[in-house]
Amino acid sequence: MTSHQNTQTMKPATAAKKLGVYLEATPADFREGVVSRAELNELQANPPQWLQELRRNGPHPRPVVAAKLGVSIAGLARAGVTEPLTTEQIEALKQEGPGWLERERTTQAEVRKEAERIKKKNAERQP
């Protein structure tokens, strides 16, 4: 009996999400094809110039923007930031320090603190 191993593929949107890049900024051949698991692993291990450039300068997808600003994705939405931002725009926001950014960072810190408290409390319950 021989087993056939199917090549696992994913949509470009899924691959872009796993790579942490904004899909619309990727090359057309990436957006229009499918990506195999092996291709994704190769992109992660040896990123081509376009991928390095996107990761360095953006535009970045919301999860990356939120992480770089130290806020949640919901916090970005509350502030009206719905478009992808470049690294330069993110740095400018950090320099400006708008009120919403400070509020969202404080909220995010409180959420993390509460999650840690719950984790500790649950760990104490375990035998």
Side-chain angles (χ1 to χ4, degrees), residues 97-112:
W100 69 264
L101 181 57
E102 297 307 315
R103 283 191 304 277
E104 292 300 334
R105 282 180 169 171
T106 301
T107 300
Q108 187 71 0
E110 290 170 2
V111 167
R112 285 187 188 122

Side-chain angles (χ1 to χ4, degrees), residues 14-88:
T14 303
K17 186 175 182 179
K18 290 179 180 287
L19 292 169
V21 295
Y22 182 57
L23 177 63
E24 300 306 316
T26 61
D29 60 332
F30 180 86
R31 287 192 310 268
E32 295 165 1
V34 293
V35 180
S36 72
R37 174 64 63 186
E39 290 169 331
L40 178 67
N41 290 341
E42 179 62 24
L43 286 170
Q44 290 172 325
N46 301 307
Q49 186 62 37
W50 65 264
L51 182 54
Q52 292 175 22
E53 189 67 26
L54 276 178
R55 286 179 169 169
R56 186 176 6 296
N57 299 320
H60 302 288
R62 283 181 300 167
V64 174
V65 173
K68 287 180 178 276
L69 290 173
V71 299
S72 67
I73 295 172
L76 288 177
R78 283 190 291 271
V81 179
T82 57
E83 296 298 315
L85 299 178
T86 64
T87 300
E88 187 176 307

